[in-house]
Amino acid sequence: MAVTGMNFTLLLPELILVATGILLVLLDLFTEQKRVLVYAGLAGVLASLLALIPGFGTTASIWADMIQVDSLAGFFKIVFLAVTALALLVSLEYVERRQIQAGEFYALLIFATVGMFLMASSLNLLVIYLGLELVAIASYALVGLLKQDGRSVEASIKYLLVSSATSAVFLFGISLVYGTTGSLALPQIAQALAAGAASQPVLFAGMLFLLAGLAFKVAAFPFHMWAPDTYEGSPTPISAFLITGAEAAGFAALLRVFLVGLPGLADAWTTIFAALSVLTMTYGNVTAISQTKIKRLMAYSAIAQAGYVLVGLAVATGQGTAAMLYYLLVYAFMTVGAFAVIILVANSGAGEEISDFRGLSQRSPFFAWALVIYFLSLIGIPPTAGFFGKLNLFSAAIAADMTWLAVVMVINSVISAPYYFKVIRTMFLEEAAEAEPVRAPASLTWATAITLVVTILLGLVPDQVYSWVRLVAGAL
Amino acid sequence: MSLDLISFIVLGIITLVSGYLVVASANLMHAALFLGLSFVGVAGIYLVLGAEFLAAAQILIYVGAITTLIVFGIMVSNLQDLKAGGRGVWARVVRNLASFRRGLVPLVAAAGFAILMLVIYRQSLWPAEAPPASGSNLATVGRLLFTEYVVPFEIASVILLAAVLGAVALSRRDDQPPAGSTGQAAPAAERKEGR
Amino acid sequence: MAGLAWLIPLLPLASWLYIGLPSHRASTRYDRVGIGAVGIAFLLSLGVLWDVIRGGSAAASFTWAVHGSTAITIGYQVDGLTAVMLVVVTLVSLMVQVYSLGYMHGDRRYKRYYAVLSLFTFAMLGLVLADNLLLLYIFWELVGLSSYLLIGHWFEDPANVRAANKAFLTTRAGDVAMFIGIMILFSQTGTFAFGELGELAQAGAISAQALALGAILLFAGAVGKSAQFPLHVWLPDAMAGPTPVSALIHAATMVAAGVYLVGRAYPVFAASPEAMQVVAWIGGITAIFAATMALVQADIKKVLAYSTVSQLGYMMLGLGLGGYTAGLFHLITHAFFKALLFLGSGSVIHATGTQDMHQMGGLIRKMPITGWTWIIGSAALAGIPPLAGFWSKDEILLTAYYANPTLFWIGVVAAAMTAFYITRATWLTFFGAPRDAERYAQVQESPRVMTVPLVILAVLAATVGFLGAPPLGAPFAQLVHFGEVHHLEMTSVVTWGVTAAWVLGVLVALAIYAGGWISRQRIISGLRPVYTLLKNRYYIDDAYDYLFVKGSIGLAYVVGWLDRVVVDGIVNGVAAITRWFADATGLFDREVVDGAVNGVADGVSVGSQAFRRLQSGLVQSYILAMAVTVVLGLAIFVIGG
Amino acid sequence: MVPLPYVLGLAALLFSLGLYGVLTQRNAVRILMAIELMLNSVNLNLVGFARYLEPDRPGGQLFAIFVMTVAAAEVAVALAIILVIAHRRDDVDIDKINLLKW
């Protein structure tokens, strides 16, 4: 019995990444120059990106329908590769300074990316689950790799315990869905739902558990509580990686599972997502106000942003999906960029309190202004990319007759302004403890420049990308 | 009552009781052993349900690997149980109930889960008869694993690789521990030796 | 030339990027870059204006984003209003930047100051050129940001940082409403462009409620930015920034952006009578309310700040009552004479080192250029013919007379108060005896870089009014008008009312403050030479001596008493009433407006603290929260069926 | 043959037992054990369903195998972290691991 759809070409991006991961472990044994690992990793990411080209525009179910190649998968893979490349860049200096075991660090980062790929590119619950676990297991280790810091290890164990418990709930949900529909493949599940399985009460329970498991991944209220602790404790590049990449992967899985697999229950889950969205953005924004540590502030900000993205699921339309995709793309760049500045400040000898940003505008005007632009984008002030992200979600909500949700979004973006401005004020209107200009390593400058250009460009000329994500959303 | 059902009930009781003891037993090592016993019970149920391959895997992976790993972990790290005294299960239950975080709320949540699920199961329709299985389960599962499920199989191998890497990276002692950590680590080590 | 208008904002942008971004070596050439950029921009603007006068116009837009079935376009448009505003903004910015060469000389953050000024100029020019609400909103936020940075320029003093925050947050409150308003209009019409919006609104394509709501919310943004009641509280505090900044941002340009917005979106407002009523009444209330507060200020910049608020109210009043040309013309004239007054006050502050008028006096002798330009500016503000303020204020009041008599009389009273407070400020600052001799001794006229801008602005303040003078055919109205150019007949009631207002104001002020002329010190110093002479020439004149000395002391005593009881009595009597009113309004400010703002902020931050505590750090609590949520979800489902 | 609801009921009870353990135990290792109980309950579900739905192509059973594999991987990483913690301090009391909060 042969496997149907054995196609190595379309699986090449994943294969290249796995090979890169293994290569990094081996390289680590033979070289003292740990920078080489970053370059090799970047080469692998680039190769994987190039390997995406043959699959572009095709829609195919390969390997016994376990892997789905389509434009949605392609979109998310590009986002993940971008995030990974940027994470590698911002890690370079960080890993050297803190004597983190470089081989394992970079290899695990690549393996986590493979997991994200799988979450976005499968219509089978088993593969989605395995992808999710691959991300999770690699992340537990990555979060804890700053071993000499008690907070890192603490973040790791907390993440692990909460994540495993949630995994169990998620799996319970999968088992119930499997039991009522007789399949693990999302299209078949949708068919079974349409054929009448949707009336089974147990399916609702299954849906609820699936939702809980994935809501945990995207840190939606009240499944978010692990997030601030984990993001604060982890090595900063990993915070950036998880906050953007893993969260985007969670949304990819949410889109697949709910829009492809469970459209028959849309009445129920749209309501739940709308409620989660409101709670999540409000909780994130309000709690962020009283934070004093920059990473924690970014964590709550991430929670709030996840709340905005959930609006796209609450409306459950093509427009909503497109808006989500656009937002996730934009969010990845502006957040990694902000973290690049945070890493710069932390590397310069200051800590990770907000007060450590004092006088950054004098010590390094470029990075200070870059952070201003990321923050304006996060608030949603035009002409930055974040504005268009919010505008898209906003009009999707209006178009779906959920004006109240749109209004809540706007109010939330107002609440969010003060805490970002607290940082901006610290940078511009407070005197630095030392006037010494901050020396920026080339890797951080590159990462900042790239994310900055994307953040501005996606705000100035959003059209091409938006029409692309419309297309992608249409393919779902 | 068929033999199947009787064995299911017996095995179920074993599983549940030892599962309860995992939570309730006073000694951490005992808990680990009860965990193993619970796994064995589950393996038995797999056999009853005609999943021979899985029963074998359960014994190998769960009992053989996971339980052993946990026991080994407990011994290596010389972990002591946290429950002071350990004067009987009920005394602890009463004491625990008094605490909000560990008391009534978790109990209600956990029991609520079971009760609600049972209610939901009652409301749903289930097939009354299982279709007869044809051929050997071992062969079927083995074949599927390397044909239809070959991609997940490979992913699992990547997961294991990542786990090994992670575990090694975490547990490897650094040659030169950074200055900050020695101050905290040393007293703990001394305390251990002193005991 | 008009086709090159898009280039104008790019010059200051380039200047900002050049000055601001790299952390390059400490050179002081930044000022030249900024001045050069805005200077070229000014010349270009003149060219554009010339083009427009000859009937040219330009507009270009491109599609920014396609949104479902609607395309969002952005672009610029040049019409009469734009062209005039371009000239005003670049000119005032140029003057301020030149002036700052002297005023900010040796400042610690000199470079940054010029960088942010360039950024501001860029944003303001972009705002003026924008052809749609969205783009305007972008620049709207950007001017807010640069204003924030400039108010907090001297952030060593926490009070300045507080002022910056207050300004930002207060205007932001208006901006939020404005954004919602933009979105309402957008959802109704599918466009942000002013042209299409105006056409659709005039054609009645928008439901009346949505139109009124959208327009009023839009106006809320203008209320914040233009410091209209009840969001005016930030502007007096914003005086914490450097004075040239106040002249540029908080008098001539940014605060006028609200008025400009109403003007730009006028077809939308005009289609909704409710919105127009709101605009007019808010404007009227602000005009008189701020004027009363200006009466009792001791700080010279605070007088000007409240005056600005009041004058902006006038503009809104004019616009709201249908006087499109009148309101916008006042915006232009006000930009010149108020910038002049602020720069003049800056010159005074620079020379004396204080902002308290009670420590000044007699400065005109030492600072003739500053003094005389100030007098021209204040006469223009008071509305004395034929200076700029006279023509524009007259137009507004004329409009009000025909449209709404109540508001007309409010306007007239406010005009009288305006004349009073500016005369008072003029007198206390420049005339009378110096009240602080030590300061006075050190006073000297400001350097040339500061006085030249004053003179230029004074000339403009004196002459620009003729552009709107009906006897000369009101060329401004030909250029900037809504619908047909129409002309209101002058009536004697208005003529006499307005004239009586400024005459009364000036005379009362002189009567009270020129009363200092016969104050005690004046008499002592006046009689002392006689006394000395007598003492030296006639030995025998001990008696006289005694008499004169005692007499003069006694007389001084009596006069002093008179001064205190009678003159002060009158002053205090007048002042007490106004002060009571001002206090009452101030109380309203502090307790109600601030209270509301703080209340919301406190509520949010208390909530924030509470939410924060939920995050206990105990991992099982996290799992518990999740478990309880899931089980509750199940329970709701089971119970709900 | 065992009726399907019996299997499901047993799994639900086992799951809630595990959940209770996760919520109440202070020792990190014991929490880990409780999580394993939850995973076993899921596997019971999957195997039960597979028996009734598709005995000849038991997708549920295969899923269960992967759950076991992942569980083993997870336990390995978890124990590694717990060892790091135990090395720093005497116990692995989850209540004392709360540097990160608020």
Side-chain angles (χ1 to χ4, degrees):
Chain A
M1 192 163 117
V3 182
T4 53
M6 263 175 73
N7 186 330
F8 283 99
T9 321
L10 292 179
L11 201 60
L12 204 54
E14 285 87 349
L15 294 177
I16 289 178
L17 281 184
V18 173
T20 311
I22 296 169
L23 179 76
L24 289 182
V25 179
L26 295 178
L27 259 180
D28 183 45
L29 301 175
F30 297 112
T31 175
E32 282 300 304
Q33 266 294 355
K34 302 302 179 194
R35 266 162 200 272
V36 176
L37 300 180
V38 174
Y39 303 142
L42 284 174
V45 167
L46 188 68
S48 174
L49 191 66
L50 291 176
L52 279 176
I53 293 172
F56 231 79
T58 56
T59 302
S61 293
I62 52 172
W63 294 93
D65 298 344
M66 287 290 171
I67 299 286
Q68 177 79 3
V69 178
D70 57 13
S71 52
L72 187 83
F75 172 84
F76 274 107
K77 284 175 186 174
I78 291 174
V79 173
F80 299 146
L81 287 176
V83 167
T84 308
L86 290 168
L88 284 170
L89 269 181
V90 299
S91 302
L92 182 73
E93 185 87 354
Y94 193 91
V95 168
E96 278 181 4
R97 273 170 187 273
R98 295 197 174 46
Q99 298 166 338
I100 297 174
Q101 294 136 358
E104 285 90 345
F105 182 90
Y106 294 122
L108 285 170
L109 199 65
I110 300 285
F111 286 137
T113 313
V114 178
M116 293 172 188
F117 268 44
L118 295 170
M119 286 172 78
S121 60
S122 180
L123 290 181
N124 191 301
L125 285 174
L126 172 57
V127 179
I128 292 178
Y129 165 71
L130 288 175
L132 196 139
E133 285 296 332
L134 179 49
V135 178
I137 287 176
S139 317
Y140 305 150
L142 284 169
V143 169
L145 268 185
L146 219 53
K147 275 179 295 181
Q148 65 273 29
D149 187 345
R151 293 179 309 158
S152 172
V153 182
E154 172 178 338
S156 179
I157 189 76
K158 281 182 173 175
Y159 185 32
L160 186 141
L161 291 177
V162 183
S163 173
S164 314
T166 327
S167 275
V169 175
F170 183 65
L171 281 172
F172 204 88
I174 292 183
S175 76
L176 295 182
V177 170
Y178 167 70
T180 23
T181 62
S183 178
L184 288 166
L186 292 170
Q188 271 91 305
I189 291 173
Q191 276 172 17
L193 251 65
S199 58
Q200 287 272 58
V202 71
L203 195 63
F204 181 88
M207 185 268 291
L208 198 67
F209 297 151
L210 287 182
L211 199 151
L214 292 173
F216 160 82
K217 275 280 152 197
V218 302
F221 183 91
F223 304 97
H224 67 282
M225 296 180 88
W226 59 280
D229 292 4
T230 304
Y231 295 154
E232 186 196 335
S234 8
T236 314
I238 297 306
S239 310
F241 180 72
L242 292 180
I243 252 176
T244 54
E247 193 177 310
F251 276 111
L254 271 174
L255 280 173
R256 295 280 198 203
V257 171
F258 283 87
L259 289 176
V260 179
L262 301 171
L265 292 171
D267 286 348
W269 56 255
T270 45
T271 317
I272 298 177
F273 277 125
L276 281 187
S277 163
V278 169
L279 289 171
T280 306
M281 62 176 101
T282 312
Y283 178 87
N285 279 325
V286 170
T287 316
I289 292 173
S290 53
Q291 296 304 319
T292 55
K293 296 194 176 80
I294 187 79
K295 273 161 84 179
R296 246 185 135 69
L297 182 121
M298 288 305 291
Y300 283 107
S301 147
I303 292 169
Q305 306 287 338
Y308 298 137
V309 181
L310 280 172
V311 170
L313 276 164
V315 302
T317 56
Q319 199 186 348
T321 311
M324 280 176 73
L325 297 182
Y326 192 86
Y327 204 86
L328 287 172
L329 177 70
V330 166
Y331 179 68
F333 281 95
M334 59 199 184
T335 306
V336 177
F339 270 101
V341 181
I342 294 171
I343 291 171
L344 177 88
V345 171
N347 278 355
S348 78
E352 284 164 346
E353 300 280 326
I354 291 174
S355 57
D356 293 322
F357 281 72
R358 255 180 284 162
L360 190 67
S361 67
Q362 276 138 359
R363 301 182 65 196
S364 177
F366 171 71
F367 283 95
W369 277 103
L371 195 57
V372 169
I373 288 175
Y374 301 133
F375 279 176
L376 292 183
S377 188
L378 283 167
I379 302 173
I381 290 178
T384 52
F387 166 73
F388 263 96
K390 283 211 176 69
L391 183 70
N392 291 334
L393 288 167
F394 183 91
S395 13
I398 298 230
D401 274 335
M402 297 180 97
T403 315
W404 65 273
L405 198 53
V407 171
V408 172
M409 262 185 79
V410 174
I411 293 173
N412 258 286
S413 98
V414 179
I415 303 178
S416 75
Y419 63 82
Y420 293 116
F421 265 91
K422 188 159 78 177
V423 182
I424 296 181
R425 191 181 67 207
T426 313
M427 290 193 301
F428 281 85
L429 298 187
E430 278 176 39
E431 203 67 54
E434 46 181 329
E436 198 84 343
V438 178
R439 193 193 62 83
S443 53
L444 279 181
T445 312
W446 274 105
T448 311
I450 293 168
T451 50
L452 195 61
V453 166
V454 174
T455 307
I456 293 173
L457 269 189
L458 284 182
L460 290 180
V461 280
D463 219 26
Q464 281 72 15
V465 176
Y466 185 70
S467 42
W468 177 43
V469 293
R470 281 299 307 221
L471 221 66
V472 170
L476 189 75
Chain B
M1 200 181 261
S2 70
L3 188 63
D4 273 0
L5 194 54
I6 293 170
S7 11
F8 173 79
I9 291 172
V10 172
L11 288 165
I13 290 172
I14 290 176
T15 308
L16 282 181
V17 169
S18 48
Y20 172 73
L21 288 172
V22 170
V23 177
S25 77
N27 185 312
L28 190 59
M29 197 58 95
H30 293 173
L33 296 176
F34 281 122
L35 182 69
L37 184 56
S38 181
F39 289 159
V40 172
V42 173
I45 295 174
Y46 290 161
L47 275 181
V48 172
L49 291 170
E52 293 92 5
F53 188 99
L54 217 61
Q58 171 85 1
I59 299 291
L60 283 175
I61 299 180
Y62 264 121
V63 185
I66 296 181
T67 310
T68 313
L69 205 57
I70 289 176
V71 169
F72 190 65
I74 296 171
M75 293 195 318
V76 165
S77 57
N78 195 15
L79 286 172
Q80 292 303 305
D81 204 27
L82 294 163
K83 297 213 165 80
R87 292 170 301 275
V89 173
W90 290 109
R92 264 202 323 279
V93 168
V94 169
R95 196 181 56 229
N96 281 344
L97 281 180
S99 120
F100 176 74
R101 202 157 52 76
R102 288 228 163 70
L104 218 48
V105 183
L107 189 64
V108 170
F113 176 85
I115 293 165
L116 288 167
M117 282 316 296
L118 293 178
V119 171
I120 289 172
Y121 288 149
R122 273 186 68 87
Q123 290 173 351
S124 299
L125 294 171
W126 301 109
E129 268 312 305
S134 63
S136 136
N137 170 265
L138 228 61
T140 315
V141 174
R143 201 177 54 244
L144 279 175
L145 204 53
F146 291 101
T147 53
E148 208 176 307
Y149 286 81
V150 65
V151 167
F153 185 80
E154 295 304 329
I155 299 171
S157 68
V158 178
I159 292 181
L160 287 172
L161 176 58
V164 170
L165 264 182
V168 168
L170 285 168
S171 50
R172 190 166 74 192
R173 295 280 168 82
D174 296 325
D175 295 329
Q176 301 155 307
S181 68
T182 46
Q184 285 165 310
E190 277 166 27
R191 276 202 301 278
K192 261 181 222 160
E193 280 159 19
R195 229 178 306 112
Chain C
M1 206 67 177
L4 287 179
W6 56 271
L7 202 58
I8 296 173
L10 296 186
L11 287 160
L13 174 66
S15 145
W16 169 60
L17 289 175
Y18 176 76
I19 305 174
L21 284 191
S23 48
H24 45 66
R25 66 274 160 210
S27 153
T28 51
R29 310 238 159 191
Y30 314 112
D31 42 17
R32 291 169 211 199
V33 177
I35 291 171
V38 77
I40 300 170
F42 170 60
L43 293 177
L44 269 173
S45 306
L46 278 182
V48 169
L49 179 62
W50 178 242
D51 231 25
V52 171
I53 288 173
R54 289 185 311 171
S57 71
S61 68
F62 65 94
T63 307
W64 190 9
V66 179
H67 223 270
S69 57
T70 58
I72 299 174
T73 60
I74 56 166
Y76 71 96
Q77 64 179 34
V78 178
D79 58 7
L81 177 59
T82 310
V84 174
M85 285 298 288
L86 284 178
V87 173
V88 172
V89 172
T90 48
L91 179 59
V92 176
S93 178
L94 179 63
M95 291 299 118
V96 163
Q97 293 202 24
V98 171
Y99 180 92
S100 299
L101 287 175
Y103 192 86
M104 299 299 285
H105 185 75
D107 189 81
R108 294 182 62 182
R109 284 180 285 277
Y110 190 69
K111 170 187 159 190
R112 166 174 149 151
Y113 174 81
Y114 270 94
V116 184
L117 270 190
S118 286
L119 174 65
F120 170 79
T121 309
F122 156 66
M124 190 67 208
L125 290 170
L127 192 154
V128 168
L129 277 167
D131 75 341
N132 70 52
L133 276 171
L134 193 61
L135 195 57
L136 182 131
Y137 181 74
I138 294 173
F139 289 114
W140 185 272
E141 293 294 343
L142 204 51
V143 289
L145 177 68
S146 25
S147 162
Y148 169 81
L149 290 176
L150 286 168
I151 295 171
H153 183 75
W154 290 315
F155 52 73
E156 285 82 0
D157 183 352
N160 294 351
V161 176
R162 269 200 301 279
N165 275 335
K166 186 171 180 181
F168 190 81
L169 293 179
T170 313
T171 51
R172 182 97 189 119
D175 295 352
V176 174
M178 174 177 166
F179 187 74
I180 296 175
I182 292 176
M183 284 301 163
I184 287 175
L185 292 175
F186 177 69
S187 66
Q188 292 285 317
T189 61
T191 180
F192 290 116
F194 289 118
E196 285 174 58
L197 266 178
E199 280 164 25
L200 289 169
Q202 291 285 322
I206 311 174
S207 75
Q209 293 90 339
L211 184 66
L213 187 62
I216 290 171
L217 286 173
L218 209 55
F219 180 62
V223 166
K225 212 54 136 194
S226 289
Q228 298 291 289
F229 176 86
L231 294 182
H232 59 278
V233 290
W234 65 271
L235 186 58
D237 287 21
M239 296 300 123
T243 307
V245 166
S246 310
L248 177 61
I249 299 186
H250 305 124
T253 55
M254 184 187 88
V255 289
V259 180
Y260 176 80
L261 169 68
V262 176
R264 189 38 91 206
Y266 206 64
V268 176
F269 282 94
S272 168
E274 298 87 358
M276 289 292 267
Q277 284 292 313
V278 171
V279 175
W281 277 99
I282 293 281
I285 291 168
T286 310
I288 191 155
F289 175 78
T292 57
M293 290 198 275
L295 296 176
V296 293
Q297 298 298 324
D299 180 325
I300 186 166
K301 283 183 76 180
K302 291 268 163 81
V303 174
L304 293 177
Y306 281 113
S307 161
T308 302
V309 174
S310 165
Q311 297 301 311
L312 291 166
Y314 262 111
M315 301 172 204
M316 291 294 187
L317 171 66
L319 288 173
L321 293 177
Y324 178 76
T325 308
L328 291 173
F329 188 51
H330 196 55
L331 164 58
I332 307 294
T333 57
H334 175 259
F336 288 122
F337 65 68
K338 191 52 71 61
L340 168 63
L341 288 174
F342 263 109
L343 292 184
S345 78
S347 178
V348 168
I349 294 163
H350 192 65
T352 60
T354 176
Q355 307 194 6
D356 186 354
M357 294 189 293
H358 293 303
Q359 297 182 28
M360 300 175 185
L363 293 177
I364 197 159
R365 287 186 296 279
K366 288 238 181 153
M367 310 179 70
I369 305 178
T370 304
W372 285 108
T373 51
W374 169 283
I375 288 169
I376 294 172
S378 48
L381 171 62
I384 297 173
L387 301 172
F390 166 74
W391 299 105
S392 51
K393 204 179 283 181
D394 219 34
E395 282 289 310
I396 291 177
L397 290 175
L398 193 59
T399 309
Y401 178 74
Y402 286 111
N404 188 331
T406 319
L407 284 173
F408 167 71
W409 287 112
I410 288 178
V412 171
V413 174
M417 289 183 179
T418 308
F420 176 87
Y421 66 68
I422 197 65
T423 311
R424 165 179 176 266
T426 308
W427 194 270
L428 286 176
T429 309
F430 289 103
F431 297 95
R435 278 175 293 279
D436 187 331
E438 216 171 298
R439 285 185 196 282
Y440 183 76
Q442 292 164 357
V443 167
Q444 48 184 314
E445 181 62 283
S446 299
R448 185 85 45 89
V449 284
M450 290 170 68
T451 52
V452 168
L454 288 179
V455 172
I456 295 174
L457 284 173
V459 170
L460 284 166
T463 57
V464 78
F466 292 114
L467 289 177
L472 299 175
F476 183 80
Q478 306 296 330
L479 201 59
V480 179
H481 54 82
F482 177 69
E484 292 299 305
V485 182
H486 57 285
H487 218 74
L488 297 173
E489 278 309 308
M490 203 63 185
T491 70
S492 54
V493 181
V494 178
T495 316
W496 287 113
V498 173
T499 314
W502 71 258
V503 170
L504 192 71
V506 171
L507 286 184
V508 171
L510 286 177
I512 293 168
Y513 292 97
W517 210 5
I518 46 166
S519 73
R520 192 181 52 185
Q521 290 90 346
R522 186 95 193 170
I523 290 166
I524 293 174
S525 57
L527 292 184
R528 183 161 287 146
V530 179
Y531 156 69
T532 316
L533 178 77
L534 288 180
K535 188 178 177 183
N536 288 332
R537 288 281 175 94
Y538 305 99
Y539 197 72
I540 202 170
D541 290 341
D542 290 323
Y544 293 120
D545 179 27
Y546 189 81
L547 182 67
F548 274 108
V549 173
K550 287 292 173 198
S552 62
I553 290 171
L555 192 61
Y557 195 81
V558 173
V559 171
W561 180 82
L562 272 177
D563 193 34
R564 268 202 312 283
V565 176
V566 182
V567 181
D568 280 9
I570 298 167
V571 176
N572 292 345
V574 177
I577 297 167
T578 51
R579 188 171 294 137
W580 174 82
F581 188 60
D583 277 356
T585 51
L587 199 69
F588 176 78
D589 254 23
R590 276 198 309 281
E591 299 302 324
V592 183
V593 180
D594 283 11
V597 171
N598 293 342
V600 173
D602 287 352
V604 171
S605 80
V606 166
S608 181
Q609 290 292 347
F611 282 177
R612 206 178 152 192
R613 292 284 149 179
L614 283 181
Q615 193 79 23
S616 58
L618 300 168
V619 68
Q620 277 163 329
S621 306
Y622 304 173
I623 305 177
L624 184 60
M626 293 163 51
V628 167
T629 310
V630 170
V631 172
L632 271 181
L634 272 184
I636 289 169
F637 173 70
V638 168
I639 293 163
Chain D
M1 199 66 236
V2 184
L4 184 54
Y6 283 31
V7 182
L8 300 179
L10 175 65
L13 289 174
L14 195 58
F15 192 90
S16 77
L17 206 54
L19 182 63
Y20 181 73
V22 169
L23 293 175
T24 53
Q25 300 304 307
R26 283 173 65 188
N27 189 319
V29 179
R30 218 189 271 250
I31 297 177
L32 211 58
M33 296 183 201
I35 289 173
E36 297 308 321
L37 287 182
M38 291 165 83
L39 292 177
N40 263 275
S41 114
V42 171
N43 281 355
L44 268 179
N45 257 0
L46 286 168
V47 174
F49 280 131
R51 178 70 193 84
Y52 274 81
L53 294 171
E54 36 176 16
D56 291 332
R57 280 182 74 248
Q61 290 189 20
L62 281 143
F63 203 123
I65 293 173
F66 289 109
V67 173
M68 287 179 194
T69 320
V70 169
E74 213 160 50
V75 166
V77 177
L79 281 174
I81 299 170
I82 289 173
L83 284 181
V84 175
I85 296 173
H87 177 65
R88 300 173 133 265
R89 50 196 301 162
D90 253 352
D91 54 43
V92 281
D93 183 351
I94 206 70
D95 277 6
K96 291 187 194 151
I97 305 180
N98 69 341
L99 289 173
L100 299 163
K101 55 188 163 192
W102 297 323

